[in-house]
């Protein structure tokens, strides 16, 4: 953050890094629909060939990578008109799990994943490599993504059911972010909330000017416009 006290320092715009994710759900392409109309079933002809008993399968969910193929495979299954259950490959054989057992499996896998992350970081330390992000950092990143999605929806929202007012919405969102950042700054520093808000507003202004210059097709004209706008603002505020 560029504060008023360190305005002489160079300000660089912040660039968000793309978030990578691994999708472990196996895609089912070119499969026919279930002839019985079962919503989760992808209609595998091999499991629907016997007219006396159809076996309905959902697309498999498993992990595949250089570490192995189709590990910890699980999928929803239903035998003919029976109750749906979960098939799971545990010790190499297929087992059928109840809903309570699926919940138990989730708890066990969560603990297993946490342990695996610790083991991975321990190995990384031994090899001189970087550790994985903590679960708190991952959660924070997920919240940022959710906030970005909410912003997109807010910008597209209709006001009074008729028109959009993107500038008004943008101003409200900007103020909300600045106030939240100021509250955080006041919590973690000795700043008063007023001083924190001033620093956040100033930092946002510097970032905006930097972005305007970076994307300008005519930097000289943009500089003149920024100076003029600053002079007009100073005059309007009586500063």
């Amino acid at each position: 953050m560029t504060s008023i006290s360190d305005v002489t320092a160079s300000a660089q715009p912040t660039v968000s890094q793309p978030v990578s994710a691994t999708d472990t759900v196996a895609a089912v392409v070119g499969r026919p629909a279930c002839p019985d109309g079962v919503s989760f079933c992808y209609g595998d002809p091999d499991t629907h060939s016997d007219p006396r008993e159809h076996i309905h399968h959902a697309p498999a969910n498993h992990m595949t990578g250089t570490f192995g193929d189709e590990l910890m495979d699980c999928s929803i299954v239903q035998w003919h008109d029976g109750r749906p259950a979960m098939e799971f490959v545990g010790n190499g054989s297929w087992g059928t799990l109840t809903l309570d057992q699926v919940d138990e499996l989730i708890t066990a896998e969560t603990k297993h994943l946490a342990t695996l992350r610790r083991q991975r970081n321990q190995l990384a330390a031994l090899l001189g490599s970087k550790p994985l992000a903590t679960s708190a950092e991952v959660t924070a990143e997920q919240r940022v993504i959710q906030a970005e999605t909410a912003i997109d929806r807010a910008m597209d929202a209709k006001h009074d059911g008729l028109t959009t007012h993107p500038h008004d919405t943008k101003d409200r969102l900007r103020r909300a972010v600045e106030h939240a950042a100021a509250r955080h700054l006041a919590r973690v520093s000795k700043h008063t909330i007023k001083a924190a808000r001033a620093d956040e507003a100033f930092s946002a202004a510097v970032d905006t000017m930097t972005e305007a210059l970076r994307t300008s097709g005519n930097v000289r004209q943009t500089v003149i416009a920024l100076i003029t706008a600053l002079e007009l603002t100073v005059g309007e505020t009586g500063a």
Side-chain angles (χ1 to χ4, degrees), residues 14-19 136-152 177:
T14 300
V15 180
S16 298
Q17 297 297 320
V19 179
E137 291 170 336
V138 172
T139 301
E141 186 61 40
Q142 291 172 342
R143 289 179 178 176
V144 169
I145 295 172
Q146 292 170 353
E148 289 173 342
T149 301
I151 287 173
D152 287 339
V177 171

Side-chain angles (χ1 to χ4, degrees), residues 73-235:
D73 203 324
C74 57
S75 65
I76 299 175
V77 64
Q78 180 180 349
W79 281 267
H80 202 52
D81 56 354
R83 290 175 60 83
M86 181 75 74
E87 278 191 334
F88 174 69
V89 179
N91 58 358
S93 61
W94 284 92
T96 303
L97 307 181
T98 65
L99 185 59
D100 288 341
Q101 288 175 317
V102 173
D103 292 340
E104 182 182 355
L105 176 62
I106 291 172
T107 300
E109 285 191 0
T110 301
K111 293 179 180 178
H112 180 270
L113 178 59
T115 302
L116 181 59
R117 291 178 68 91
R118 289 195 297 271
Q119 291 173 324
R120 187 270 179 201
N121 285 341
Q122 183 180 11
L123 177 61
L126 294 172
L127 298 175
S129 298
K130 294 181 179 179
L132 291 174
T134 64
S135 58
E137 291 170 336
V138 172
T139 301
E141 186 61 40
Q142 291 172 342
R143 289 179 178 176
V144 169
I145 295 172
Q146 292 170 353
E148 289 173 342
T149 301
I151 287 173
D152 287 339
R153 292 175 178 173
M155 292 299 292
D156 292 336
K158 300 290 185 180
H159 291 254
D160 302 324
L162 298 174
T163 59
T164 58
H165 298 280
H167 293 295
D168 294 343
T169 302
K170 182 182 69 175
D171 287 342
R172 289 183 61 185
L173 291 170
R174 175 183 54 78
R175 287 194 297 270
V177 171
E178 289 178 4
H179 290 171
R183 289 194 298 272
H184 172 75
L185 179 60
R187 283 198 305 270
V188 300
S189 69
K190 296 181 180 180
H191 287 67
T192 64
I193 188 64
K194 183 177 181 180
R197 285 178 176 172
D199 266 353
E200 287 296 336
F202 182 80
S203 178
V206 172
D207 288 343
T208 301
M209 287 190 296
T210 303
E211 184 67 11
L213 292 170
R214 188 183 68 82
T215 58
S216 174
N218 188 327
V219 175
R220 184 175 182 277
Q221 186 179 44
T222 301
V223 169
I224 294 173
L226 288 170
I227 293 173
T228 302
L230 178 61
E231 291 174 344
L232 290 173
T233 302
V234 170

Side-chain angles (χ1 to χ4, degrees), residues 26-40:
V28 179
V29 181
R31 295 283 191 178
C34 175
D36 300 322
V38 176
S39 61
F40 63 81

Side-chain angles (χ1 to χ4, degrees), residues 2-19:
T2 304
S3 64
I4 298 174
S5 60
D6 60 9
V7 64
T8 55
S10 298
Q12 298 296 328
T14 300
V15 180
S16 298
Q17 297 297 320
V19 179

